[in-house]
């Protein structure tokens, strides 16, 4: 498929630059707090083969001070681990006060002999600590999957570069990238009423998604690889054509169905990209449609 059929060279170059900029200079996942939870988080992040230890750093396994903020700001994601009872002790409250003032994505893991629910409630009362940032776990029941998923969600644009260095984090970051792109395209397709006017936006979002997934797998992202990925992107056009045809059948509800097809089609392209990078072969269109359905 020729490049002009699915988007301009400028669109592709912009997507390459945006993804490359996001991957450049990403800091480590920085761990701080009490030793036991911090070591469990470290083990979860570095548990897969080919993990790069430089992507995870431990800092200040002691009480934090306000002047630690400059060091903590180096993090792509800041993770604080606290050992608590039912409630927070004064040292943990003081630590969270420092963490809450750090202007980086952050996550708080509170671990106790019993489920520290009361401590979680107290934690979100600290300025800068919000409910999605707090995970509670009973000692001996470490929530590895929930933790990795939460870190992937907090990482945002830094996620793909971190996933390249931390394979344990990769499936969660990939899912986050795919879901964000699918939701955006679903909303765009529903909002744009002029037939075909949504195509450049949908294509740009899908291209950026494919390149970001490539970064997750440690691929060098450049013009050659982008051109190789255009085949995956092109496979989605049949899905958008089907969405437009729905408008002829159900003119009003069709707009909602169109959004659903754009969402599903983008997810299918994302899953095809995962297959491509994991197995070295582009998924065929029939499999792509099965995924979308």
């Amino acid at each position: 498929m020729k490049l002009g059929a699915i988007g301009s060279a400028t669109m592709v170059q912009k997507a390459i630059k945006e993804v490359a900029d996001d991957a450049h200079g990403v800091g480590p996942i920085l761990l701080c707090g009490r030793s036991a939870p911090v070591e469990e988080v470290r083990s979860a992040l570095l548990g897969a083969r080919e993990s790069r230890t430089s992507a995870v750093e431990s800092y200040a396994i002691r009480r934090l001070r306000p002047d630690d903020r400059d060091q903590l700001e180096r993090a792509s994601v800041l993770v604080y681990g606290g050992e608590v009872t039912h409630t927070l002790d004064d040292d943990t409250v003081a630590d969270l006060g420092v963490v809450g003032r750090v202007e980086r994505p952050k996550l708080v893991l509170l671990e106790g002999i019993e489920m520290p629910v009361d401590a979680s409630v107290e934690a979100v009362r600290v300025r800068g600590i919000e409910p999605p940032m707090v995970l509670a776990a009973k000692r001996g029941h470490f929530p590895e999957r929930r933790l990795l998923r939460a870190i992937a969600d907090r990482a945002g644009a830094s996620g793909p570069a971190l996933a390249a260095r931390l394979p344990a984090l990769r499936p969660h970051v990939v899912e986050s990238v795919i879901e964000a792109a699918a939701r955006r395209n679903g909303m765009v397709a529903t909002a744009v009423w002029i037939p075909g006017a949504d195509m450049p936006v949908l294509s740009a979002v899908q291209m950026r998604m494919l390149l970001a997934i490539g970064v997750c797998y440690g691929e060098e992202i450049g013009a050659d690889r982008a051109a190789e990925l255009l085949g995956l992107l092109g496979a989605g056009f049949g899905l958008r054509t089907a969405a437009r045809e729905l408008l002829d059948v159900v003119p009003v509800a069709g707009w909602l169905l169109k959004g659903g097809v754009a969402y599903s089609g983008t997810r299918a392209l994302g899953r095809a990209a995962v297959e491509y990078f994991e197995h070295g072969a582009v998924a065929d269109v029939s499999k792509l449609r099965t995924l979308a359905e």
Side-chain angles (χ1 to χ4, degrees):
M1 176 175 288
K2 293 182 179 180
L3 179 60
I6 62 169
S8 68
T10 301
M11 178 193 79
V12 176
Q13 291 170 352
K14 182 179 179 182
I16 292 172
K17 184 179 186 304
E18 288 176 347
V19 173
D21 287 347
D22 287 342
H24 179 71
V26 170
I29 296 176
L30 199 58
L31 313 180
C32 62
R34 310 299 173 85
S35 59
V38 164
E39 285 306 313
E40 289 178 313
V41 174
R42 181 180 176 82
S43 295
L45 289 168
L46 297 175
R49 293 179 58 187
E50 301 180 359
S51 298
R52 298 187 191 178
T53 55
S54 61
V56 181
E57 292 184 13
S58 297
Y59 178 78
I61 309 301
R62 54 176 173 75
R63 182 171 175 176
L64 298 176
R65 300 189 304 267
D67 56 6
D68 289 322
R69 283 180 58 188
D70 288 343
Q71 289 296 321
L72 299 180
E73 294 282 358
R74 297 182 297 115
S76 58
V77 181
L78 177 63
V79 181
Y80 176 83
E83 294 178 280
V84 301
T85 55
H86 289 293
T87 58
L88 299 182
D89 59 41
D90 291 341
D91 285 349
T92 301
V93 171
D95 283 350
L96 291 179
V98 175
V99 170
R101 288 190 290 273
V102 174
E103 295 181 358
R104 302 297 298 159
K106 43 191 173 274
L107 187 68
V108 174
L109 173 66
L110 300 177
E111 189 176 70
I113 297 176
E114 299 295 336
M115 194 70 169
V117 176
D118 292 343
S120 298
V121 173
E122 291 179 11
V124 300
R125 293 173 180 164
V126 177
R127 184 176 181 181
I129 306 296
E130 299 174 0
M133 299 178 186
V134 181
L135 288 179
K138 185 177 179 180
R139 189 172 300 164
H141 296 79
F142 185 73
E144 180 172 323
R145 185 176 180 82
R146 283 200 303 135
L147 174 84
L148 294 174
R149 186 168 61 246
I151 291 175
D153 289 342
R154 304 303 301 171
S158 300
L162 290 171
R165 293 182 280 172
L166 298 169
L169 200 59
R170 185 175 298 153
H172 305 285
V173 172
V174 167
E175 176 58 28
S176 180
V177 168
I178 293 173
E179 181 64 14
R183 284 180 179 274
R184 181 173 180 183
N185 273 358
M187 289 188 292
V188 168
T190 303
V192 176
W193 286 68
I194 302 174
D198 57 349
M199 277 193 172
V201 178
L202 298 179
S203 298
V205 171
Q206 289 177 341
M207 173 54 72
R208 199 180 191 288
M209 174 188 72
L210 295 176
L211 294 174
I213 292 172
V215 172
C216 289
Y217 285 89
E219 295 288 336
E220 291 291 333
I221 299 301
D224 290 345
R225 179 46 58 92
E228 192 176 342
L229 290 172
L230 294 181
L232 277 177
L233 186 62
F237 270 67
L239 297 168
R240 287 200 293 277
T241 299
R244 288 198 304 276
E245 290 173 353
L246 287 171
L247 297 178
D248 296 330
V249 181
V250 276
V252 177
W255 290 108
L256 296 177
L257 293 171
K258 180 171 173 277
V261 172
Y263 173 90
S264 299
T266 301
R267 283 198 62 88
L269 286 170
R271 299 318 306 173
V274 171
E275 181 172 320
Y276 174 82
F277 288 114
E278 288 191 350
H279 304 295
V282 177
D284 60 36
V285 175
S286 63
K287 185 167 185 178
L288 197 67
R289 290 186 182 281
T290 300
L291 284 167
E293 290 169 0

